[in-house]
Amino acid sequence: VQMVESGGVVVQPGGSLRLSCVASGFNFDHYTMHWVRQAPGKGLEWVSYVTGDSRGAYYADSVKGRFTISRDNNRYSLYLQMNSLRAEDTALYLCTRDTHMVYFDFWGPGTPVTVSS
Amino acid sequence: QSALSQPRSVSGSPGQSVAISCTGTNSDVGGYNYVSWYQHHPGKAPKVMIYDVTKRPSGVPGRFSGSKSGNTASLTISGLQAEDEADYYCCSYAGNSVIFGAGTRVTVL
């Protein structure tokens, strides 16, 4: 099992970014997938999750209306479209596999996002 | 969606036991038996130590155990070892939402 995130860059406040997470080694469409972030010097913060069939997508209040999670099961890929970015969105963004109700058994190494002018 | 409340730090000598509390509400910790605990060493991926409040994944040492009473979950490390020094986060399902704890730094003296 492996997951690798990409797409993190330095972006100006108000800008947009799309993160990707490519998975391998397991039946991707069988699993709910999450994005979790960690701001510098801070703790883990849940961002969003999407069910295996994409029928359910849910967000933390801090990103609701600005971020959109999606997935392409044919490409074994998870995405996070981030709009109207703010300085407080600066963080390492990690994707993780949910085996069973917040049982996150595998994680990617993360991709860093910096929102700064 | 405030973070679940955890002590900022706990410490103990090798061989001692330490417990980390994780306090939420009846909308998260108290409302579901879906609490997990993660060990996080800087620069590495978080590692699940407990799931479903009390279950231990294969490969996790038996000195790690979980429990819950009301709106508070707990992780106990019995027989502390040097490699247990890390940050620990609780995590709870909260009905189409997920909440992590603020994190606890465990120091082995």
Side-chain angles (χ1 to χ4, degrees), chain A residues 38 44 94 104-105 107, chain B residues 6 20 36-51 57 59-61 63-64 75 77 80-91 100 103-106 108:
Chain A
Q38 185 172 31
L44 299 175
L94 307 102
F104 303 135
D105 58 350
W107 299 69
Chain B
Q6 294 183 233
I20 303 168
S36 50
W37 288 89
Y38 298 87
Q39 179 190 66
H40 192 202
H41 289 106
K44 297 184 68 176
K47 177 184 178 182
V48 59
M49 308 304 284
I50 295 289
Y51 69 99
V60 172
R63 62 181 183 275
F64 290 89
L75 174 72
I77 309 174
L80 202 59
Q81 297 188 9
E83 60 263 34
D84 299 334
E85 186 162 290
D87 296 324
Y88 290 82
Y89 296 90
C90 60
C91 178
F100 279 96
T104 298
R105 173 66 57 89
V106 171
V108 181

Side-chain angles (χ1 to χ4, degrees), chain A residues 69-88:
Chain A
I69 192 171
S70 63
R71 63 191 296 161
D72 182 338
N73 288 341
N74 292 325
R75 296 179 182 271
Y76 274 55
S77 292
L78 174 72
Y79 306 104
L80 186 68
Q81 178 66 41
M82 308 164 67
N83 297 332
S84 302
L85 283 162
R86 306 166 180 168
E88 54 264 37

